[in-house]
Amino acid sequence: MASACSNKMIDVFWHEGMLNHETGKGVFDSGIDPGFLDVLEKHPENSDRIKNMVSILQKGPISPYISWQHGRPAQVNELLSFHAPEYIDELIEADKQGGKMICAGTFLNPGSWDAALLAAGTTLSAMKHILDGHGKLAYALVRPPGHHAQPKQADGYCFLNNAGLAVQLALDSGCKKVTVIDIDVHYGNGTAEGFYRTDKVLTVSLHMNHGSWGPSHPQNGSVGELGEGEGYGYNLNIPLPNGTGDRGYGYAMKELVVPAVNKFEPDMIVLVVGQDSSAFDPN
């Protein structure tokens, strides 16, 4: 997540408690053991991925420019700025019952709800850090991820929409307009859905052309999904061919994203930087 300005230092918000979200093993993301495999796969959204991100920031080439900040859990009332109360109640009840599969591939296990609260609260802390004038660029390094979580629906390994909560905090704190730029390889459908009917948020998503993947993800991510009502024209989808590399992303940014953002003139920019658009991610 970032403000519209830049700075030499990056404030990274992180809490190791997010490692306690266990997504299990099985065949890819199914959680299923067919009984005849010697080695079951880790769920693709597992703690090893974020451990590597932490190590890159701690030991990699930009480590001198990192200022580490401590995350914190969100309060339930903070979640209601984006999510419906009945949906939050469903998640709380699932946690009390010891967890369950909320939707395909998305498992709320013991420890998952606490991790989700940490992810949401840590992202809110990063946004508040910027809003309070303590920095220019903040990165919320969090899991479970959030951009598929819709106001009333979990989806795609996501329970709470961390970016959506941060956007709403910016709006509630006086920002008139906010832009979201999502470069995850999948459509940021949850964030788009949350702001689909407002002209105060420009949601931009660059993603592979995967379409809908079922009841939890009815949105297609097509160029025709432009928003509704006052939000018509404020949802920009940029589906890219599978295998699109740096040049393709650069071209889309230069020719489509930058002109749209400049025309919108936001007070804040929130970047959703899903790492599965990297050539080094097994997804």
Side-chain angles (χ1 to χ4, degrees):
M1 179 178 68
S3 75
C5 303
S6 62
N7 194 341
K8 289 182 179 179
M9 294 301 296
I10 304 172
D11 292 295
V12 175
F13 285 75
W14 159 248
H15 193 293
E16 63 182 9
M18 289 179 279
L19 298 174
N20 295 328
H21 171 45
E22 293 290 344
T23 46
K25 294 182 179 180
V27 178
F28 192 57
D29 66 358
S30 68
I32 295 173
D33 179 357
F36 47 74
L37 294 176
D38 286 338
V39 180
L40 294 175
E41 298 175 274
K42 284 188 175 182
H43 190 286
E45 202 295 287
N46 61 72
S47 60
D48 289 349
R49 302 180 75 215
I50 204 166
K51 286 178 183 176
N52 276 338
M53 295 178 200
V54 171
S55 68
I56 289 166
L57 293 173
Q58 288 178 336
K59 306 170 189 175
I62 66 168
S63 59
Y65 305 98
I66 301 297
S67 175
W68 291 90
Q69 310 290 336
H70 204 56
R72 53 94 177 173
Q75 301 298 311
V76 169
N77 65 298
E78 292 180 295
L79 308 178
L80 303 181
S81 67
F82 185 90
H83 291 289
E86 59 269 24
Y87 170 58
I88 298 302
D89 289 344
E90 176 191 347
L91 295 177
I92 292 173
E93 184 60 28
D95 178 56
K96 288 179 180 178
Q97 298 299 322
K100 68 174 185 178
M101 184 174 75
I102 305 296
C103 61
T106 307
F107 300 92
L108 193 145
N109 291 320
S112 297
W113 180 237
D114 287 342
L117 290 174
L118 277 171
T122 297
T123 306
L124 289 170
S125 293
M127 174 57 80
K128 192 171 189 306
H129 187 78
I130 299 297
L131 291 168
D132 289 346
H134 298 311
K136 298 294 185 182
L137 185 65
Y139 178 37
L141 179 56
V142 299
R143 70 180 289 269
H147 74 148
H148 296 310
Q150 297 147 70
K152 300 180 180 181
Q153 171 72 56
D155 178 39
Y157 320 155
C158 304
F159 305 105
L160 302 173
N161 196 305
N162 308 309
L165 290 164
V167 169
Q168 193 59 54
L169 176 60
L171 293 172
D172 293 342
S173 301
C175 290
K176 301 298 183 186
K177 294 187 290 185
V178 179
T179 291
V180 180
I181 302 172
D182 187 326
I183 63 167
D184 189 277
V185 82
H186 304 102
Y187 177 32
N189 63 310
T191 316
E193 182 68 27
F195 302 109
Y196 207 62
R197 297 157 190 86
T198 179
D199 58 1
K200 294 180 173 60
V201 181
L202 172 66
T203 49
V204 181
S205 180
L206 297 85
H207 47 264
M208 68 178 180
N209 195 12
H210 53 64
S212 170
W213 59 54
S216 69
H217 190 108
Q219 302 86 359
N220 286 305
S222 66
V223 294
E225 292 176 342
L226 296 168
E228 293 178 353
E230 291 183 355
Y232 185 79
Y234 293 91
N235 189 67
L236 174 60
N237 288 334
I238 306 173
L240 299 169
N242 287 5
T244 297
D246 290 349
R247 289 179 62 192
Y249 274 86
Y251 185 85
M253 285 286 183
K254 180 181 177 182
E255 299 297 326
L256 297 172
V257 180
V258 171
V261 174
N262 284 340
K263 183 177 181 180
F264 186 62
E265 296 182 330
D267 301 310
M268 182 76 69
I269 296 176
V270 173
L271 303 175
V272 182
V273 287
Q275 301 299 323
D276 53 3
S277 52
S278 165
F280 298 99
D281 190 290
N283 275 338

